[in-house]
Amino acid sequence: MSTQNSLVIIKEKIAGVMLDDKRMKADDIAKKVLKGRKRECSTPPKWMQDAFHITKAESENGLCYYVKPKKKEVKNFFFYIHGGGHCMEINKNQWEFVATVVEENGYGAAVPIYPLAPEHNAQDTFDMLIGTYRHLTRQETIDRLVVVGDSTGGGLALSLAVLAWKEGVRRPDKLVLLSPSLDTEFMDGNLANHMLDRKKEVRKYYYRLGIKEFLSRYWIQDLYHQNEYTCPIYADLTDICDEIAIFTVENDLLNSYARLLYDKLKKEQIRIHYFEYFGMPHDYIEHQHVPECRMIINRISDSIKDEAKLVNPEIKRAVWARSMVAERYPKMFHDDESIKIAAKLNVSHKDFNAMYQEYDRLVKIGRIVEIDKRVKQFIMRYADGVIVNVGAELDTMFSRMDNGRIRWYNVDMPEIMELRRKMVESRDREQNIGKSILDFSWLDSVKKKPGEAILFVCCDVTKYFTDKKLQAFLNAIWERFPGAEVLFDVKNSVGRKRANLKVLTGKKKGSFIKVSIDNCTSLMYDWNIKYRVLYDRAILNQEDITEMFSSDIARKYRHAIRRKYDKIIQLRLGTERIEI
């Protein structure tokens, strides 16, 4: 995310009700919250009242706003529970999120303004929420009902689903949990310690023991150790709904809880979708002006309406690139399987081709061809080796490379691995690992015998890294697999600046690239003297461009080729005796 966007977010946070003194005790926090309450307004903004049909229903401990498109019958609803640490009212940015989903999906929204601490406790909150939810299911003719919660609202949404099942109220068709807070008692000491990690404290967002004391004294009160209310992650989640989607951020304080919930739900008979993003703030739904946050909001909106639409555009673009090369240049790149996958995903060559400028298309084609060449050369040297495709998405590289002897691992996010199992047939000697590539614990699932060669292939993956994360990634591989080879593509500093300028000016979609390598030999010497550079050349070369296109195009980009704006690098990390 760009520095300018980060500064905008910081400014918004400072203007809100924030606990800016990390030494505050429970009573101090209560006073701070009550003082800030005077500035809060839970009413929908005037522009929303003009744009939508909004009504409200009052109850003993709160009220609920119903937001619907004007002049349209609504049979699908989402029940949105806002976040705010159990003590802050819904804000204008959260209302904007509600408006976005209503406008894009045509759904109606029920937005409860529930009781907050320190004036009210958890029992008051759930009495109001379950009453409002019951009223919605009885009063409206509803075909589809989705419960959505962000941050602390995510924990309340999960608790609501458990309580609705226990009371015999209609189950939600789906739960969508956005960076959920799932344990207000912080029962697991290890997970609570993760939240004390100061490296994750960004933009006045943190956890301290004073916050735990505040929640215990003012919010939990008599519901202590009643998991379905205060710690829904430890409650019985059997049959609470048919489908759950979890959205989280890799470096978020609450990320450990999201991962734990995903692991738990995999054991239940519930369809689970897991999305993890990098470099985003915890409250991404409140920053629609930031392109990266807007992208996540669009995916959340699609998830609320129809999970089938949720094939990541990045995956579609990668499938398009491989299928396009396979169709146009079958002698250089044979991949019938990618062509079939592109047809299943309704990938339009015309639409994707128009998204890229000529040079960017050349780089995509060149990356696919050159990576395959290097992998084939590795297999020729080590016919019984191990290959790990990092960030594999729907790549069919194993079917292209299989010599009948190599062992293969595909690594990517759990949600992507679930899609892969549906779209790509798994073969003998091939194993899928569903974990974030930045959660290096997935390396423990990769097995190799002493003396076996191993290659980690990272095609179009470094865009998710910073310099420090790339260094940590290489170090994690070196520590577990000394002598391993790593193959990846990366831009140099000039190529990085050119690419980021295109994103900044809107000529190219995507996030800003945070890592670049100019002198690879010198950099690797600084990172680890045992790293050896085996290959460092431009992705594009004049021979391939001339063969696929023309000599004129090859001459046109001769400077980019000579200066290696985009290049392929292959490293050997340390040494190990390899059997050939």
Side-chain angles (χ1 to χ4, degrees):
M1 193 159 47
S2 71
T3 302
Q4 182 180 5
N5 288 332
S6 297
L7 290 174
V8 172
I9 292 174
I10 291 171
K11 183 178 178 182
E12 290 181 353
K13 285 298 178 192
I14 292 174
V17 179
M18 298 303 296
L19 311 178
D20 51 8
D21 185 348
K22 298 178 183 179
R23 296 167 297 181
M24 294 172 69
K25 303 298 182 183
D27 292 338
D28 299 325
I29 294 174
K31 292 177 183 177
K32 179 82 173 180
V33 169
L34 290 173
K35 183 178 179 181
R37 184 88 77 231
K38 298 175 183 178
R39 302 197 305 269
E40 292 180 315
C41 178
S42 60
T43 306
K46 188 176 185 306
W47 65 267
M48 276 189 66
Q49 299 179 37
D50 295 336
F52 302 98
H53 177 66
I54 299 178
T55 57
K56 67 177 180 180
E58 296 187 12
S59 62
E60 184 177 349
N61 286 329
L63 60 90
C64 182
Y65 287 98
Y66 295 89
V67 183
K68 302 179 185 178
K70 284 187 173 180
K71 299 179 181 179
K72 182 179 178 180
E73 184 180 1
V74 176
K75 291 189 176 181
N76 299 319
F77 277 82
F78 70 99
F79 190 87
Y80 173 65
I81 307 176
H82 68 84
H86 299 293
C87 62
M88 300 178 194
E89 293 285 10
I90 187 171
N91 61 48
K92 63 178 182 179
N93 292 332
Q94 290 166 323
W95 275 120
E96 187 175 357
F97 167 74
V98 172
T100 297
V101 177
V102 172
E103 183 175 12
E104 291 185 358
N105 292 346
Y107 275 39
V111 185
I113 309 302
Y114 55 86
L116 300 169
E119 303 99 316
H120 300 276
N121 57 32
Q123 188 65 64
D124 296 333
T125 299
F126 284 108
D127 287 345
M128 186 272 173
L129 287 177
I130 195 68
T132 303
Y133 180 80
R134 186 187 297 109
H135 177 81
L136 173 65
T137 57
R138 290 176 178 175
Q139 297 300 316
E140 299 283 351
T141 303
I142 299 176
D143 291 338
R144 177 175 168 83
L145 177 57
V146 181
V147 175
V148 183
D150 77 89
S151 192
T152 49
L156 294 175
L158 187 59
S159 292
L160 178 64
V162 174
L163 295 172
W165 178 83
K166 284 189 172 184
E167 294 192 14
V169 183
R170 169 181 170 164
R171 299 185 312 161
D173 294 287
K174 184 175 184 178
L175 283 177
V176 179
L177 310 178
L178 315 177
S179 296
S181 171
L182 301 169
D183 179 8
T184 55
E185 295 184 33
F186 307 100
M187 296 172 65
D188 189 319
N190 291 328
L191 295 180
N193 287 335
H194 279 300
M195 296 183 67
L196 290 170
D197 183 357
R198 305 206 173 191
K199 294 179 181 178
K200 296 184 178 182
E201 293 179 0
V202 291
R203 306 182 183 98
K204 294 200 168 189
Y205 174 63
Y206 61 89
Y207 165 71
R208 286 292 183 275
L209 295 179
I211 295 175
K212 178 180 179 179
E213 182 187 359
F214 169 80
L215 291 173
S216 177
R217 183 180 302 176
Y218 291 99
W219 193 74
I220 298 173
Q221 294 186 358
D222 296 336
L223 295 180
Y224 191 68
H225 278 356
Q226 296 192 39
N227 291 346
E228 63 269 32
Y229 293 94
T230 61
C231 312
I233 193 170
Y234 305 117
D236 181 4
L237 304 180
T238 305
D239 206 34
I240 60 170
C241 67
D242 296 326
E243 189 175 6
I244 296 179
I246 303 171
F247 289 77
T248 184
V249 176
E250 177 259 340
N251 207 36
D252 183 24
L253 293 177
L254 300 172
N255 179 254
S256 297
Y257 290 96
R259 291 180 178 179
L260 178 62
L261 178 62
Y262 171 75
D263 290 338
K264 180 176 181 178
L265 289 172
K266 281 197 299 184
K267 301 174 184 178
E268 308 286 350
Q269 297 300 315
I270 299 175
R271 289 180 61 199
I272 176 69
H273 309 273
Y274 183 85
F275 305 89
E276 185 168 299
Y277 297 90
F278 308 98
M280 296 291 105
H282 163 76
D283 52 349
Y284 41 82
I285 68 164
E286 298 184 35
H287 308 289
Q288 300 206 32
H289 56 280
V290 178
E292 295 91 338
C293 296
R294 179 70 191 195
M295 177 195 70
I296 301 176
I297 292 170
N298 289 339
R299 297 199 69 197
I300 293 169
S301 179
D302 287 343
S303 178
I304 292 171
K305 186 174 184 179
D306 181 7
E307 199 69 44
K309 295 174 61 180
L310 267 177
V311 177
N312 191 324
E314 286 282 340
I315 295 177
K316 284 191 173 183
R317 285 194 281 268
V319 171
W320 160 75
R322 288 189 293 270
S323 63
M324 180 264 293
V325 178
E327 287 183 1
R328 293 186 181 181
Y329 313 106
K331 292 182 180 180
M332 297 183 66
F333 185 81
H334 183 75
D335 191 355
D336 290 338
E337 200 167 350
S338 284
I339 296 174
K340 293 177 182 177
I341 293 172
K344 289 180 182 178
L345 295 177
N346 297 318
V347 171
S348 169
H349 289 291
K350 180 179 179 181
D351 293 341
F352 281 102
N353 197 55
M355 291 173 61
Y356 294 96
Q357 296 180 344
E358 185 177 57
Y359 176 76
D360 295 323
R361 286 198 298 272
L362 290 176
V363 170
K364 273 193 168 293
I365 294 170
R367 180 192 298 121
I368 293 168
V369 173
E370 291 302 315
I371 289 282
D372 271 26
K373 285 182 181 178
R374 298 304 302 173
V375 174
K376 285 178 182 177
Q377 289 181 17
F378 176 85
I379 294 173
M380 289 176 66
R381 287 187 283 133
Y382 309 110
D384 295 299
V386 178
I387 297 178
V388 183
N389 192 354
V390 182
E393 29 93 8
L394 301 181
D395 192 358
T396 54
M397 189 184 294
F398 180 56
S399 65
R400 300 195 301 269
M401 300 292 161
D402 188 19
N403 64 351
R405 296 162 63 180
I406 57 171
R407 291 189 293 114
W408 196 280
Y409 293 89
N410 298 302
V411 184
D412 216 317
M413 298 296 298
E415 177 69 15
I416 297 175
M417 284 294 100
E418 183 181 334
L419 176 65
R420 181 181 180 88
R421 292 184 186 97
K422 297 175 183 177
M423 304 291 293
V424 182
E425 181 183 355
S426 185
R427 293 171 167 78
D428 292 338
R429 295 171 285 105
E430 182 183 23
Q431 182 176 336
N432 295 326
I433 301 174
K435 281 192 176 182
S436 164
I437 62 175
L438 296 181
D439 175 11
F440 302 146
S441 65
W442 63 262
L443 287 166
D444 298 329
S445 301
V446 177
K447 307 298 181 184
K448 88 173 188 70
K449 300 174 183 177
E452 278 187 329
I454 185 168
L455 172 68
F456 291 83
V457 182
C458 308
C459 183
D460 198 23
V461 166
T462 55
K463 61 188 177 183
Y464 301 117
F465 288 94
T466 62
D467 288 332
K468 289 184 178 179
K469 285 183 179 178
L470 178 58
Q471 184 179 2
F473 174 66
L474 296 176
N475 188 62
I477 294 174
W478 172 67
E479 288 179 345
R480 290 171 174 83
F481 305 102
E485 295 184 19
V486 182
L487 178 66
F488 60 95
D489 62 283
V490 69
K491 294 181 180 293
N492 67 12
S493 56
V494 177
R496 173 189 172 188
K497 290 176 182 177
R498 288 163 61 96
N500 287 343
L501 182 61
K502 290 178 183 177
V503 174
L504 186 65
T505 56
K507 294 180 180 178
K508 179 181 177 181
K509 291 185 177 181
S511 303
F512 289 104
I513 297 171
K514 302 177 181 68
V515 64
S516 60
I517 296 177
D518 291 324
N519 188 331
C520 186
T521 302
S522 176
L523 181 63
M524 293 304 117
Y525 188 86
D526 292 338
W527 283 2
N528 191 323
I529 197 171
K530 295 185 178 181
Y531 294 174
R532 180 186 170 194
V533 180
L534 302 179
Y535 186 88
D536 181 3
R537 295 185 184 177
I539 285 178
L540 303 177
N541 63 76
Q542 291 194 338
E543 293 77 13
D544 285 346
I545 295 178
T546 300
E547 182 179 349
M548 289 189 290
F549 299 95
S550 68
S551 57
D552 291 338
I553 292 179
R555 282 195 299 270
K556 181 178 179 181
Y557 296 107
R558 63 186 182 278
H559 296 298
I561 296 171
R562 186 170 65 251
R563 295 172 184 173
K564 295 197 291 189
Y565 289 164
D566 295 86
K567 54 186 179 177
I568 301 287
I569 292 175
Q570 188 167 350
L571 306 173
R572 178 174 290 132
L573 310 182
T575 57
E576 183 191 30
R577 191 176 184 84
I578 305 297
E579 296 178 1
I580 300 177

